[in-house]
């Protein structure tokens, strides 16, 4: 009869131990009450549980920070790997003359021009200009640096006087080495636009 009571007591304590283990409470009971060995979580089980928690924390710390959404590099590359600047860099205009654009000038040995460039991001490193008888031509004067000035004049030139249109071409280089080129719409020089002199032939009428 005693052994039956001890068996029932052991079953009851076993159920309590399982309930404590489900709640995370270490399972212990007095072995003297059950007449057997105390049922406790082994040190290995406790170490393993702690290791799992530490591993989860370490794994979370190891996850790299996500890059900020919406931040993009200012430059892109084309298929050949060359750097392409997507920001605006344009020559707005190239005017013949020192101010507003002209189409006719009287001077037969000088040319002037002025221009406007839009390069808000990188800035301009320098300008070159050339003079010729067609857009992009250097037939009268080759490309010459004018620093960062947005106007230039040249004198002592030999300009055609047969109605040929003279063009100025400007080449702009920004600080990244990117270039833009544009030409004026041309100007005609001096004598080609002078009105011809009227020569009247006087006929002397002799009196009989």
């Amino acid at each position: 009869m005693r052994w039956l009571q001890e068996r029932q007591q052991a079953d009851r304590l076993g159920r309590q131990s399982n309930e404590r283990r489900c709640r995370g409470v270490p399972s212990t009971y007095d072995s003297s009450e059950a007449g057997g060995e105390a049922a406790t979580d082994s040190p290995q089980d406790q170490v393993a549980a702690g290791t799992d928690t530490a591993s989860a924390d370490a794994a979370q710390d190891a996850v790299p920070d996500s890059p900020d959404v919406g931040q993009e590099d200012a430059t892109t590359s084309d298929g050949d790997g060359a750097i392409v600047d997507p920001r605006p860099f344009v020559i707005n205009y190239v005017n013949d003359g020192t101010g507003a654009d002209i189409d006719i000038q009287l001077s037969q040995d000088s040319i002037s021009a002025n221009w406007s460039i839009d390069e808000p991001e990188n800035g301009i490193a320098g300008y070159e200009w050339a003079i010729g008888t067609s857009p992009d031509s250097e037939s009268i004067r080759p490309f010459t640096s004018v620093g960062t000035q947005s106007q230039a004049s040249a004198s002592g030139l030999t300009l055609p006087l047969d109605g040929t249109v003279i063009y100025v071409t400007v080449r702009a280089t920004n600080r990244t080495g990117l270039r833009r080129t544009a030409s004026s719409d041309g100007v005609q020089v001096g004598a080609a636009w002078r009105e011809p002199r009227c020569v009247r032939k006087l006929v002397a009428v002799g009196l009989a």
Side-chain angles (χ1 to χ4, degrees):
M1 190 67 174
R2 179 178 177 78
W3 67 267
L4 180 59
Q5 293 177 349
E6 290 179 352
R7 177 64 180 271
Q8 292 175 346
Q9 179 69 11
D11 291 341
R12 181 177 59 81
L13 293 176
R15 288 194 297 273
Q16 292 177 353
S17 176
N18 290 334
E19 292 176 357
R20 291 193 186 96
R21 183 173 298 177
C22 292
R23 294 196 302 267
V25 178
S27 300
T28 58
Y29 63 90
D30 189 355
S31 59
S32 62
E33 296 179 1
E37 295 182 357
T40 61
D41 289 337
S42 67
Q44 292 83 355
D45 294 338
Q46 296 178 5
V47 171
T51 302
D52 291 342
T53 303
S55 300
D57 293 341
Q60 184 174 2
D61 293 339
V63 176
D65 294 336
S66 300
D68 294 337
V69 177
Q71 294 185 355
E72 298 180 356
D73 193 352
T75 58
T76 58
S77 59
D78 60 17
D80 298 328
I83 299 301
V84 178
D85 187 351
R87 299 171 181 80
F89 172 26
V90 295
I91 300 179
N92 298 318
Y93 62 79
V94 179
N95 283 344
D96 297 296
T98 58
D101 186 62
I102 61 174
D103 296 322
I104 305 168
Q105 72 172 39
L106 296 178
S107 175
Q108 301 178 14
D109 62 358
S110 66
I111 288 290
S112 297
N114 65 92
W115 51 87
S116 170
I117 309 294
D118 188 11
E119 171 47 305
E121 183 65 24
N122 298 298
I124 294 296
Y127 300 112
E128 300 167 275
W129 77 316
I131 306 170
T133 55
S134 63
D136 302 323
S137 171
E138 304 174 62
S139 60
I140 297 176
R141 182 184 179 92
F143 276 106
T144 305
S145 174
V146 295
T148 56
Q149 299 182 82
S150 59
Q151 60 182 4
S153 296
S155 59
L157 305 174
T158 301
L159 303 176
L161 303 177
D162 58 356
T164 301
V165 178
I166 309 300
Y167 297 87
V168 169
T169 300
V170 174
R171 185 163 61 197
T173 305
N174 72 5
R175 291 189 180 127
T176 67
L178 195 62
R179 287 180 172 178
R180 294 287 186 268
T181 303
S183 298
S184 68
D185 62 357
V187 61
Q188 288 184 308
V189 178
W193 287 89
R194 292 177 181 172
E195 291 184 3
R197 295 177 179 178
C198 293
V199 178
R200 294 183 179 180
K201 184 177 181 180
L202 299 178
V203 179
V205 178
L207 295 176

